[in-house]
Amino acid sequence: MFRSRKPTADGLAYGKVETLIGEGTQIKGSIQSTGVVRVDGFLEGSIDHNGDLIIGPKGRLQATVKAKGLAMAGEIRGDVEVEGKLELLPGAHLQGDVRCGHLVIHEGARFHGRSVMSSPDQADSQSNTRTAGD
């Protein structure tokens, strides 16, 4: 009668995927992008994304990541900065430091690192406070 529905990377409501790095694809370098991007392949380097980023269950990143929103079921090894929500779905593995607005870690996800949660307004006020005292 009551079934527990576990979140998955395929069931995310992020809108239409505009860019797909498919399974079996390997990229080394830097990516700058917008819109909704899904990674099911391998990326080594960095990604600076002005939109929502989805890391599928087979997606693997050895990279620094910046995005507006991030949902992951795969693996990231590197530091992550997300303006809004960072969601670690069951099976996700994140190894690195995180700075984000909201952090959601589902049962079955693994996170190794430090996290700082702050809104963009807080970051601006902290930088203004530091410069005002100089």
Side-chain angles (χ1 to χ4, degrees):
M1 184 167 152
F2 295 103
R3 291 191 312 171
S4 174
R5 210 178 110 188
K6 291 186 177 182
T8 65
D10 294 324
L12 297 173
Y14 279 97
K16 182 181 175 189
V17 172
E18 297 168 343
T19 304
L20 173 66
I21 299 173
E23 188 177 341
T25 301
Q26 296 184 8
I27 297 175
K28 289 186 179 185
S30 299
I31 294 177
Q32 291 183 324
S33 56
T34 60
V36 179
V37 173
R38 181 178 172 122
V39 178
D40 287 316
F42 176 78
L43 170 67
E44 181 179 340
S46 66
I47 184 164
D48 187 357
H49 183 61
N50 189 17
D52 291 324
L53 180 63
I54 300 169
I55 310 301
K58 296 192 180 201
R60 302 285 177 261
L61 280 71
Q62 289 183 351
T64 56
V65 177
K66 287 186 179 181
K68 288 205 181 233
L70 171 61
M72 59 177 287
E75 180 179 331
I76 296 178
R77 292 181 185 274
D79 294 340
V80 175
E81 186 175 334
V82 177
E83 187 177 310
K85 181 167 80 169
L86 168 58
E87 187 171 9
L88 282 78
L89 299 163
H93 183 200
L94 175 56
Q95 185 172 349
D97 293 340
V98 170
R99 178 177 296 277
C100 63
H102 303 283
L103 177 61
V104 179
I105 303 175
H106 291 274
E107 184 176 349
R110 295 178 293 162
F111 170 53
H112 304 279
R114 295 178 293 173
S115 67
V116 175
M117 293 188 303
S118 63
S119 68
D121 295 339
Q122 289 174 330
D124 290 340
S125 68
Q126 287 175 354
S127 65
N128 289 339
T129 303
R130 288 185 191 136
T131 57
D134 292 337

